[in-house]
Amino acid sequence: MKLQDQIGQELHFKSAPKRIISLVPSQTELLYDLGLEDAIVGITKFCVHPNHLIKTKKVVGGTKQIHLDKIQALQPDIILCNKEENTKDIVEACSAICTVHVSDIENISDCLAMITQYGEIFKKQNLALKIVEAIQDNLKDFQSYIQNKTTLKVAYFIWKDPFMVAGKETFINHLLQLNKFENVYADLARYPEIQPKEDKDIDLVLLSSEPYPFKEKHIEELKAYYTKANIQLVDGEMFSWYGSRLIQAFAYFKWLHQNLV
């Protein structure tokens, strides 16, 4: 089998890979939901879903720093990476060990394409199709739910010290748009550093649970800047994890809209 991954690398497979290392938490969860738990031999310390994998699989580092010796010792057939999560150096180093598949996700279509491609690579086409269809059905239902909602001006914070937000060309920004949340930082690329300042036009400030674990105390801190805005803690996994996590995301978004205080 021959195919191109999402950054255009041409990959060749004589058979379905039997020993998989995943360097992307959301893609690890997808592998599990595709029935590939037994084939997973290595994961990152951030691969927390399902939570038992961290005890049963070899941890080979994080998403930005890896232990190549541990990866090599596991003798993988394939290593799964992501353009945003993993560095170019990591991809190149892993490519010297075995085949590396790199995903590149900016929107739902990219997610569905990745899931479909995993189905082809690992001979799990039927399960992949079920996941794709579930996401599509839940998205369609959510689009119907959201169509009459008022558009809100939103800032989505991912980090503190320095403060960083989600900008354009990110999966988070795409999901904000689906929620009719107009990202006030959509003119800035990727994940810019910003200095909070009083902005009475912002309706809603979302503080993500990851990668920085925002807490209630940070709501009070940011109220000094966003005096008119509704400030909410949100589940960052629902806004940034792609793959099978999207099956749950749209029900969460409904709940969020219903519980904006």
Side-chain angles (χ1 to χ4, degrees):
M1 176 177 58
K2 180 174 71 173
L3 55 80
Q4 282 192 345
D5 69 8
Q6 290 181 301
I7 63 167
Q9 297 183 124
E10 192 166 283
L11 309 179
H12 299 264
F13 301 94
K14 291 182 180 179
S15 59
K18 302 296 184 186
R19 297 179 63 79
I20 308 166
I21 290 178
S22 172
L23 300 182
V24 187
S26 56
Q27 293 172 196
T28 301
E29 181 180 48
L30 173 59
L31 293 174
Y32 176 81
D33 289 335
L34 285 171
L36 291 162
E37 179 176 2
D38 290 344
I40 301 170
V41 294
I43 60 174
T44 76
K45 62 184 177 181
F46 302 115
C47 294
V48 295
H49 295 298
N51 58 16
H52 69 269
L53 292 184
I54 209 79
K55 299 174 184 175
T56 60
K57 305 299 179 181
K58 185 74 172 180
V59 174
V60 298
T63 54
K64 306 299 185 194
Q65 293 182 315
I66 57 172
H67 301 288
L68 278 173
D69 55 336
K70 292 182 179 179
I71 289 175
Q72 208 152 15
L74 290 171
Q75 299 182 311
D77 299 319
I78 191 169
I79 300 170
L80 304 179
C81 293
N82 173 264
K83 183 179 177 181
E84 179 176 287
E85 293 271 359
N86 311 120
T87 66
K88 185 178 179 182
D89 287 345
I90 283 176
V91 171
E92 289 176 351
C94 288
S95 295
I97 297 172
C98 69
T99 297
V100 175
H101 180 284
V102 182
S103 63
D104 185 13
I105 310 292
E106 280 190 26
N107 52 52
I108 299 288
S109 294
D110 293 336
C111 296
L112 301 183
M114 179 195 68
I115 295 166
T116 300
Q117 200 163 73
Y118 276 19
E120 294 171 3
I121 293 170
F122 301 112
K123 305 300 181 190
K124 295 287 184 177
Q125 289 95 332
N126 289 341
L127 277 172
L129 180 60
K130 287 181 180 179
I131 292 171
V132 165
E133 288 177 343
I135 293 170
Q136 290 173 325
D137 288 346
N138 291 350
L139 170 60
K140 185 177 180 181
D141 174 70
F142 180 70
Q143 288 173 322
S144 176
Y145 168 82
I146 202 74
Q147 63 180 346
N148 294 321
K149 296 288 185 184
T150 302
T151 299
L152 300 177
K153 290 190 175 182
V154 173
Y156 187 101
F157 282 77
I158 64 160
W159 199 257
K160 186 181 184 298
D161 299 327
F163 281 115
M164 296 173 69
V165 294
K168 63 182 176 182
E169 299 168 352
T170 62
F171 185 56
I172 292 172
N173 186 60
H174 176 68
L175 291 186
L176 291 175
Q177 291 173 334
L178 286 176
N179 276 276
K180 297 186 78 170
F181 293 155
E182 180 185 337
N183 186 357
V184 297
Y185 293 107
D187 59 325
L188 301 177
R190 308 299 293 163
Y191 302 104
E193 293 182 18
I194 62 121
Q195 179 57 51
K197 61 182 184 297
E198 186 169 359
D199 190 336
K200 294 178 181 176
D201 290 333
I202 293 180
D203 299 305
L204 182 62
V205 174
L206 301 178
L207 306 182
S208 180
S209 61
E210 65 163 48
Y212 186 88
F214 282 102
K215 306 293 183 188
E216 290 284 342
K217 63 182 180 181
H218 301 116
I219 293 178
E220 296 303 316
E221 181 179 349
L222 284 165
K223 275 183 179 177
Y225 301 100
Y226 304 106
T227 55
K228 302 293 186 182
N230 178 357
I231 305 178
Q232 295 270 321
L233 298 174
V234 293
D235 186 339
E237 292 174 358
M238 295 299 181
F239 278 96
S240 62
W241 281 41
Y242 32 87
S244 46
R245 174 60 46 142
L246 280 172
I247 295 174
Q248 305 173 41
F250 298 108
Y252 173 78
F253 295 151
K254 277 188 182 181
W255 175 89
L256 179 62
H257 283 272
Q258 291 162 2
N259 287 274
L260 290 175
V261 294

